[in-house]
Amino acid sequence: MVLATAVCQPALAQQKFENLDRLDGLVAMTVGANIGAPGGPIAPVDRRLRLAACPVTPSVEGPTFGAAIVKCDSVGWRIRVPLSGGGGAAAAPVARYGVAARPAQRDLVVKRGDPVQLLAGNASFSVSRAMIADEDGAVGDTIRVREDKRSTPVLAQVVEMGTVRIPGFNDF
């Protein structure tokens, strides 16, 4: 009887957590690209995650701001899966370490080292701050900006030349 219990426990333990391979497949199907391919997930879902098993098929939204959102509303978890830049045949190739190379034909409106105005807000309020771009970006790209060389970078979306906006806030 002890042997039967020992054999059944690993199977029961596996049923308590979400199958991460299934999540990888759902994201790849939703965005139309495999892991590491242009427009696809940069890497598989982190295998250290122990998400409660979803009784229904988890939903996948996106791509939004360079990521797909996988969530299980019935259990209450949600994860963000970063995607490589671009999508389809015209997408940029993915360089090592998940950094997407920018295609040459895109018009870069922000260059590394440029001063930019960081905006955040909605219809009720707005906040702005002078920042410095850490990387090049075209309109719609998400880039890192920071206040000075020692400060922590902030991700912001390029709106126009010299202007970036924090994603997630409503438009002005």
Side-chain angles (χ1 to χ4, degrees):
M1 175 131 13
V2 174
L3 183 60
T5 305
V7 171
C8 292
Q9 283 182 347
L12 292 174
Q14 291 174 354
Q15 293 175 1
K16 293 181 182 179
F17 298 115
E18 184 62 40
N19 181 345
L20 300 180
D21 291 327
R22 175 175 120 166
L23 297 182
D24 287 335
L26 287 171
V27 172
M29 284 190 306
T30 302
V31 299
N34 290 325
I35 296 170
I42 291 174
V45 173
D46 190 342
R47 296 305 188 234
R48 296 173 289 183
L49 289 176
R50 298 291 179 246
L51 302 170
C54 191
V56 296
T57 302
S59 63
V60 180
E61 299 172 1
T64 304
F65 295 117
I69 306 299
V70 183
K71 61 183 178 177
C72 180
D73 292 326
S74 58
V75 177
W77 55 257
R78 177 178 117 149
I79 61 172
R80 182 179 183 275
V81 179
L83 303 174
S84 64
V94 177
R96 293 181 69 187
Y97 308 112
V99 177
R102 304 257 190 245
Q105 69 271 18
R106 296 198 57 194
D107 293 328
L108 298 176
V109 295
V110 173
K111 303 263 187 184
R112 181 179 181 182
D114 283 355
V116 294
Q117 193 70 23
L118 176 68
L119 304 173
N122 59 26
S124 301
F125 78 96
S126 72
V127 178
S128 67
R129 184 168 195 107
M131 305 289 269
I132 298 171
D134 272 357
E135 50 195 345
D136 299 342
V139 173
D141 286 348
T142 301
I143 64 169
R144 289 179 196 86
V145 297
R146 63 176 77 217
E147 189 173 9
D148 60 41
K149 291 183 180 186
R150 292 176 295 211
S151 63
T152 304
V154 176
L155 289 176
Q157 185 177 27
V158 178
V159 177
E160 62 185 23
M161 184 178 290
T163 305
V164 296
R165 158 176 81 89
I166 299 216
F169 281 95
N170 295 332
D171 292 329
F172 295 96

